[in-house]
Amino acid sequence: ETGVTQTPRHLVMGMTNKKSLKCEQHLGHNAMYWYKQSAKKPLELMFVYSLEERVENNSVPSRFSPECPNSSHLFLHLHTLQPEDSALYLCASSQGLVETEAFFGQGTRLTVV
Amino acid sequence: GQNIDQPTEMTATEGAIVQINCTYQTSGFNGLFWYQQHAGEAPTFLSYNVLDGLEEKGRFSSFLSRSKGYSYLLLKELQMKDSASYLCAVRDGNNRLAFGKGNQVVVIP
């Protein structure tokens, strides 16, 4: 149990579907992150939220839309995805933006067909 | 831009010692992290270095040389459960965290 919970663990969706990934942290942290992990590639930072405000968007296509309604919850809304978006999507949290340790969820394995 | 380089895979025998290297080139430096990730699981924090030298935590040690842009993770007395991917990550001068591709360690009996 890492204190960061992601649902669903696995998701298969068609290119015309709309789905959402959910992340919840029980650690009282103020910063939350979305990462994408593809095979043979480094973890790619997608979005950073601090105190519910988006502080970083790393040139992510608009078909990925994050939402942070409060400091404990983070969503990633998906629509009209492409097969190359298939990857493991990891959520993480940390006490602040410059903390020494980030805690990761187990990820959502997304397959776009 | 950031560049974090790690070897991709290594195999080692149970009980042995293995060293995983990481070289980096970043704009500024605010710390280097090592994470362990078992297949299908979340990355978990192992160590953090911000000053030169060796940090020891039980069977795991991490070393940093900022002048060389180099770190290594040393795993001693290898156990089967140590089979995992080991991720090196560097926080740059803007506090952005950049990850390497990870090094897959396979421990064999």
Side-chain angles (χ1 to χ4, degrees):
Chain A
E1 174 59 51
T2 65
V4 180
T5 305
Q6 288 186 245
T7 54
R9 291 293 307 278
H10 300 272
L11 178 62
V12 179
M13 61 185 288
M15 289 189 281
T16 58
N17 291 159
K18 286 185 182 181
K19 296 286 184 184
S20 296
L21 309 185
K22 179 182 175 182
C23 176
E24 184 175 0
Q25 57 98 357
H26 318 277
L27 302 167
H29 288 168
N30 293 319
M32 295 186 78
Y33 312 79
W34 279 117
Y35 284 89
K36 176 183 178 183
Q37 188 174 37
S38 304
K40 310 293 185 187
K41 294 175 74 174
L43 272 169
E44 301 170 52
L45 180 62
M46 300 175 71
F47 301 104
V48 181
Y49 276 81
S50 176
L51 297 171
E52 301 149 47
E53 287 200 21
R54 191 190 310 179
V55 297
E56 188 158 340
N57 175 348
N58 273 352
S59 305
V60 179
S62 59
R63 57 186 184 269
F64 295 90
S65 174
E67 180 191 359
C68 188
N70 55 62
S71 58
S72 299
H73 293 86
L74 186 65
F75 295 90
L76 188 63
H77 304 299
L78 317 170
H79 64 98
T80 60
L81 294 192
Q82 305 297 312
E84 59 264 29
D85 296 322
S86 298
L88 181 68
Y89 288 85
L90 289 162
C91 172
S93 73
S94 61
Q95 183 59 47
L97 289 176
V98 295
E99 294 307 308
T100 59
E101 183 176 354
F103 292 80
F104 284 84
Q106 291 185 293
T108 295
R109 173 66 63 186
L110 174 68
T111 304
V112 182
V113 297
Chain B
Q2 328 290 39
N3 184 39
I4 317 292
D5 193 34
Q6 295 182 251
T8 54
E9 184 170 318
M10 53 174 58
T11 302
T13 307
E14 202 173 4
I17 299 173
V18 69
Q19 178 174 315
I20 305 167
N21 298 320
C22 175
T23 57
Y24 64 89
Q25 290 177 301
T26 57
S27 303
F29 178 81
N30 277 322
L32 185 143
F33 303 78
W34 284 97
Y35 281 84
Q36 180 192 60
Q37 186 178 21
H38 287 101
E41 297 185 16
T44 55
F45 171 81
L46 287 179
S47 68
Y48 170 71
N49 294 71
V50 68
L51 299 176
D52 291 349
L54 189 68
E55 294 281 340
E56 297 189 75
K57 261 188 177 183
R59 294 189 299 114
F60 294 179
S61 304
S62 57
F63 171 82
L64 174 68
S65 170
R66 288 173 296 171
S67 62
K68 295 181 180 176
Y70 168 70
S71 173
Y72 68 73
L73 180 69
L74 197 68
L75 286 61
K76 303 175 197 171
E77 301 167 20
L78 274 180
Q79 302 176 9
M80 298 299 290
K81 67 178 181 180
D82 297 330
S83 292
S85 181
Y86 291 85
L87 310 176
C88 170
V90 177
R91 195 184 291 282
D92 68 13
N94 293 318
N95 287 316
R96 290 185 176 182
L97 196 61
F99 281 82
K101 294 182 184 180
N103 181 309
Q104 186 68 42
V105 172
V106 178
V107 181
I108 57 176

